[in-house]
C-alpha cells in the first residue's frame, strides 16, 4: 500500500502530491453511485500511483534507490 516518503526535495514533494491525489480519487470513488465515473476515478488513482512510483525510481535520493536505502 501507500508509504509516505520524506519531503526534503522537489521530486519527493511531487511524488507525495501524486500519492495524495491518488488517495483523494479513491475516496471520491467510494462516494459516487455512477459506476462509470467510479471506474474512471479508480483508473486515475492507479495512474497517479504509477506516476509517483516512476518519480521515486528516478529520484536518486528516494528511499530504496541507493545502496542501503529503505524499501517500501
Amino acid at each position: 500500500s501507500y508509504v509516505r516518503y520524506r519531503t526534503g526535495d522537489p521530486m519527493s514533494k511531487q511524488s507525495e502530491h501524486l500519492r495524495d491525489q491518488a488517495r483523494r480519487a479513491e475516496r471520491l470513488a467510494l462516494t459516487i453511485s455512477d459506476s462509470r465515473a467510479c471506474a474512471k476515478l479508480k483508473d486515475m488513482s492507479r495512474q497517479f500511483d504509477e506516476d509517483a512510483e516512476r518519480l521515486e525510481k528516478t529520484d536518486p535520493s528516494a528511499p530504496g534507490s541507493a545502496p542501503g536505502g529503505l524499501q517500501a
Side-chain angles (χ1 to χ4, degrees), residues 9-58:
D9 56 62
M11 189 75 81
S12 293
K13 287 182 182 181
Q14 189 174 3
S15 66
E16 183 175 342
H17 175 72
L18 288 168
R19 299 277 186 195
D20 288 342
Q21 292 295 97
R23 302 296 74 78
R24 287 180 184 163
E26 286 177 354
R27 286 191 306 269
L28 185 56
L30 295 173
T31 67
I32 294 181
S33 59
D34 181 323
S35 61
R36 287 195 321 181
C38 182
K40 180 69 173 172
L41 284 166
K42 288 180 181 181
D43 287 343
M44 288 173 59
S45 173
R46 278 190 293 275
Q47 186 62 51
F48 284 135
D49 278 329
E50 289 171 7
D51 292 347
E53 185 73 23
R54 269 192 295 280
L55 278 174
E56 290 160 1
K57 285 182 179 179
T58 61

